């Protein structure tokens, strides 16, 4: 099974991406344990976290069944760095052609950030495997519905930004394929018990 196949399988099982911005490598095992126990299979460590490549490598070793990668990936060189650390998922806040092309070339799953139809179609044409609608705080669920009306059928559109257990339902009804969860799931300094409670609430809201 290819990395992209595993990404798609994880999206079918629980299409929620855990965004662990600020995670430290020494925290990765215990926070990862809590998330995987809750059902998460998609884990992202943004590159503006402390020693992100070390955290990615640690998570990949501990959770071979999860799809682990990086967020805030801005250059093709950073894509290669993530691949060297064992990462399988490349998430960006923007659409950069070189980033998507390098991700695809290396056999990793690509989730570039988009806001407009122009960006969305350009990203898909370049080979993106899904689209991160970011920042979702700037738009509404109606935008998801409008974009999906013109995008190729089955395009995974994943809102990120300001999404939590209390508001994901409206986005899901509009057609969102899943969500990226940041501070509503993990904030720097959160202990395992705090993350466990947040994860349980989010997963429950999704499966409700």
């Amino acid at each position: 099974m290819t990395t992209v196949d595993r990404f798609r399988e994880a999206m079918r099982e629980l299409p929620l991406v855990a965004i662990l911005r600020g995670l430290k490598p020494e925290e990765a095992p215990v926070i990862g344990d809590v998330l995987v126990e809750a059902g998460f299979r998609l884990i992202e460590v943004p590159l503006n976290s402390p020693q992100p490549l070390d955290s990615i490598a640690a998570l990949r070793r501990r959770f071979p069944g999860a799809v682990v990668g990086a967020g805030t990936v801005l250059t093709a060189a950073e894509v290669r760095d993530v691949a060297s650390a064992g990462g399988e998922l490349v998430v960006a806040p923007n659409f950069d052609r070189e980033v998507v092309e390098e991700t695809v070339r290396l056999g990793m799953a690509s989730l570039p950030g988009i806001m407009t139809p122009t960006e969305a179609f350009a990203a898909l044409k370049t080979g993106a495997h899904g689209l991160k609608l970011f920042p979702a705080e700037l738009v509404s669920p109606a935008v998801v519905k409008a974009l999906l009306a013109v995008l190729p059928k089955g395009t995974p559109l994943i809102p990120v930004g300001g999404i939590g257990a209390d508001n994901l339902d409206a986005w899901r009804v509009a057609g969102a394929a899943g969500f990226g969860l940041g501070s509503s799931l993990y904030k720097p300094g959160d202990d395992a018990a705090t993350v466990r409670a947040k994860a349980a609430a989010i997963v429950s809201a999704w499966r409700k």
Side-chain angles (χ1 to χ4, degrees):
M1 183 180 291
T2 68
T3 294
V4 174
D5 289 337
R6 293 178 59 243
F7 165 73
R8 289 172 175 155
E9 182 178 69
M11 285 289 291
R12 287 191 293 269
E13 290 180 4
L14 185 70
L16 304 177
V17 182
I19 303 171
L20 305 180
R21 190 178 306 279
L23 183 76
K24 296 178 181 178
E26 59 268 25
E27 299 172 311
V30 66
I31 298 300
D33 282 344
V34 168
L35 293 172
V36 170
E37 288 168 7
F40 281 83
R41 294 293 180 271
L42 297 161
I43 302 175
E44 164 197 337
V45 180
L47 290 185
N48 54 1
S49 302
Q51 299 172 265
L53 299 177
D54 291 342
S55 292
I56 290 167
L59 289 165
R60 282 285 291 124
R61 287 193 300 268
R62 192 171 183 88
F63 308 107
V67 179
V68 179
T72 319
V73 182
L74 304 178
T75 68
E78 289 178 342
V79 174
R80 293 189 288 273
D81 290 341
V82 173
S84 295
E88 299 175 309
L89 175 66
V90 171
V91 186
N94 63 320
F95 164 59
D96 182 286
R97 184 175 302 278
E98 292 182 357
V99 169
V100 175
E101 288 176 342
E102 189 69 356
T103 302
V104 172
R105 185 184 75 81
L106 293 173
M108 304 158 77
S110 172
L111 283 180
I114 64 95
M115 179 62 72
T116 67
T118 299
E119 293 171 330
F121 279 103
L124 292 174
K125 186 176 181 179
T126 307
H129 303 106
L131 302 173
K132 169 183 172 178
L133 182 62
F134 177 81
E137 294 100 327
L138 288 181
V139 294
S140 69
V143 172
V144 170
K145 186 175 182 180
L147 284 171
L148 291 176
V150 296
L151 290 173
K153 187 175 181 180
T155 297
L157 189 59
I158 302 171
V160 178
I163 308 295
D166 59 341
N167 67 346
L168 64 78
D169 192 53
W171 295 91
R172 187 178 185 182
V173 169
F179 301 98
L181 293 313
S183 59
S184 63
L185 178 64
Y186 171 83
K187 291 180 181 177
D190 279 354
D191 61 16
T194 300
V195 177
R196 180 179 288 109
K198 290 181 179 181
I202 291 168
V203 172
S204 176
W206 174 263
R207 290 179 170 163
K208 182 174 61 176

